[in-house]
Amino acid sequence: MSDPLPIPEPPRMFGSSWTPESWRGRPAAQEPNWPDAPALDAALTELRRQPPLVFAGEARQLTESLAAVAAGDAFLLQAGDCAESFDAFSADAIRDKLKVILQMAVVLTYGTGVPTVKVGRIAGQFAKPRSAATETRDGVELPSFRGDMVNDFAFDAEARQPDPKRLVQSYHQSAATLNLLRAFTKGGFADLGQVHQWNLEYVATSREGRRYEAVAQEIERALRFMDACGIDLDAETQLHQVDFFTAHEALVLEYEEVLTRRDSITGGWYDCSAHLLWAGERTRQPGGAHVEYLSGVENPVGVKLGPDAVPQDVLALCERLNPARRPGRLVLYSRMGADRVEEALPPLLRAVRMSGHPVVWACDPMHGNTFVHDNGYKTRRFEDVMREIRAFFAACDAVGVWPGGVHVELTGEDVTECTGGARGLSDTDLERAYKSRVDPRLNYEQALEMAMRISRHVRGRPSSARY
Ligand code: PEP
Ligand code: CO
């Protein structure tokens, strides 16, 4: 169907040759080897016909919220599964994940005194970069599992073949997830009057649950106070609805390409698969396909930076991804590992600050602290995760940069994938409820504890820590 409105050409830089498919002319790390080209074409044709999952106007709204983070006036909470899966798909799991994020956000807003921008790693986070292209078990070598968007986790030759029908299934699961998230966040569930109801039963009696309850009671008292002062709380939409945005790693570029649509208002191109997209530590080459793709869409975008990132690369990324220096357009996620932050992060913070690029600095305290335990489980220690956050804050404070947020992997379930935290999960607990097929996530209690500790930390910083 043709669009009845004339669509102006998007603003282009002189000499720019970006199109939604121009990434195809660049080297793409981590690309699956799709074995059946006609099947891939059929899946992409089907996806091209599907409606957008998010609107350009919403992505612009997130850019605005992130501009407030870049200016030091808000905090970013980005959280969700390492990878969503087709099997573990249920309304309860989505609701519980949203509950933890809302609870963390309330704790952070209450503690930091600035708004929390809420972004889920959800409704599209189906593809994973892998450190090795193949996996060998008992002498049998097969392609690595790359997430449900690409292949199946089962260790057999057929299951591990990339299957393009999975692109279509990912789209539909994302649509259903997003539909539920929209209903929850706009339909009363996220009402601040419900703060008590978000506390999941199994933590209500734990230390973190009780601490959360105390915050919830304070909020309730504040609402009653405002009501008593004659403020019409019903009329304040902000108290009854929540802006919740979605994000995933833009890894399988064929999928992102076909969901890239021209905005009929501005004429710009938007990746309508999510509000925010990021490139990972393994796909952030300034001349590579992923950065090329992200450079041309108008959504806010992010890049993960590991301990080997050097100022020159980071400045090249800032120039490639945000030449117009729009505040809120670019998020840089530091994921150094607790032991490396102090040495690796300050040079990057200083270089970006000197360049004048208005980025959001956020901390991913998970991916630099993963290790495989002797018992075979891939895990993280809660204390390492917290240590990385503290070191991130200290580095930002020392350079005079606002520590803008955190990006974490968590679940609303009572899993035992990361050790430590209030219940002191030990190595031997890992086997009890280890459900992740990729990276270990914080469980509900650990996630709440993290939010409490961050807000105490922010509150306790000297008021001279200005940015
Ligand atoms: C991730 O976010 O799940 C991830 C793989 O991150 P990174 O690219 O930083 O390792
Ligand atoms: Co991960």
Side-chain angles (χ1 to χ4, degrees), residues 7 64 91 134 189 298 306 339 353 381 384 413 463:
I7 297 177
E64 261 176 49
T134 60
F189 178 82
E298 307 253 334
D339 296 331
R353 193 191 154 132
R381 295 186 194 96
D384 290 343
E413 294 170 64
S463 53

Side-chain angles (χ1 to χ4, degrees), residues 11-293:
R12 282 274 162 77
M13 283 195 331
F14 176 73
S16 160
S17 55
W18 189 91
T19 65
E21 55 284 338
S22 58
W23 64 270
R24 291 174 181 269
R26 308 268 183 146
Q30 299 284 334
E31 256 301 284
N33 257 329
W34 301 103
D36 183 346
L40 178 62
D41 279 350
L44 296 179
T45 303
E46 184 166 350
L47 283 172
R48 244 182 228 108
R49 287 205 314 261
Q50 300 299 325
L53 293 173
V54 304
F55 292 126
E58 297 172 325
R60 281 195 286 276
Q61 201 190 332
L62 176 57
T63 306
E64 261 176 49
S65 302
L66 291 172
V69 179
D73 296 328
F75 195 76
L76 167 68
L77 171 62
Q78 184 164 348
D81 270 314
C82 180
E84 292 168 271
S85 82
F86 294 163
D87 288 345
F89 175 46
S90 77
D92 287 357
I94 296 167
R95 182 202 56 207
D96 289 349
K97 215 173 302 165
L98 178 65
K99 275 188 178 182
V100 199
I101 297 174
L102 292 178
Q103 281 185 275
M104 290 178 81
V106 156
V107 168
L108 288 167
T109 305
Y110 192 77
T112 61
V114 295
T116 305
V117 179
K118 296 165 272 300
V119 178
R121 264 177 86 107
I122 198 167
Q125 176 55 25
F126 289 101
K128 296 306 303 165
R130 302 313 304 244
S131 29
T134 60
E135 179 184 349
T136 304
R137 288 191 205 169
D138 302 328
V140 180
E141 188 180 8
L142 292 177
S144 293
F145 172 58
R146 290 183 178 276
D148 275 357
M149 183 181 274
V150 177
N151 56 3
D152 193 300
F153 185 63
F155 194 75
D156 73 65
E158 202 183 321
R160 288 289 170 98
Q161 280 303 317
D163 176 358
K165 287 206 247 7
R166 291 174 165 272
L167 297 168
V168 180
Q169 191 170 345
S170 299
Y171 169 87
H172 288 296
Q173 186 165 319
S174 300
T177 304
L178 199 50
N179 183 47
L180 195 61
L181 289 171
R182 289 187 192 281
F184 276 139
T185 52
K186 301 291 177 191
F189 178 82
D191 193 309
L192 213 44
Q194 306 272 332
V195 275
H196 292 291
Q197 270 70 51
W198 302 338
N199 218 358
L200 288 177
E201 271 155 31
Y202 69 84
V203 292
T205 53
S206 72
R207 187 182 82 184
E208 297 319 310
R210 285 197 306 273
R211 283 185 171 162
Y212 173 76
E213 221 18 66
V215 174
Q217 269 166 22
E218 296 278 317
I219 291 169
E220 211 176 26
R221 232 195 314 271
L223 290 174
R224 276 206 305 271
F225 174 73
M226 288 194 283
D227 188 38
C229 291
I231 296 169
D232 181 2
L233 299 183
D234 287 343
E236 300 294 330
T237 338
Q238 299 290 4
L239 298 176
H240 310 297
Q241 296 188 356
V242 153
D243 289 328
F244 186 83
F245 300 97
T246 60
H248 61 256
E249 178 169 352
L251 191 67
V252 179
L253 293 175
E254 289 88 350
Y255 178 81
E256 307 304 335
E257 176 192 318
V258 290
L259 286 164
T260 307
R261 309 287 162 86
R262 184 74 77 77
D263 174 31
S264 57
I265 296 172
T266 63
W269 290 101
Y270 283 82
D271 184 346
C272 294
S273 72
H275 300 108
L276 179 150
L277 291 308
W278 77 85
E281 166 68 2
R282 280 156 278 211
T283 51
R284 64 170 168 81
Q285 304 78 10
H290 295 82
V291 170
E292 166 67 12
Y293 173 75

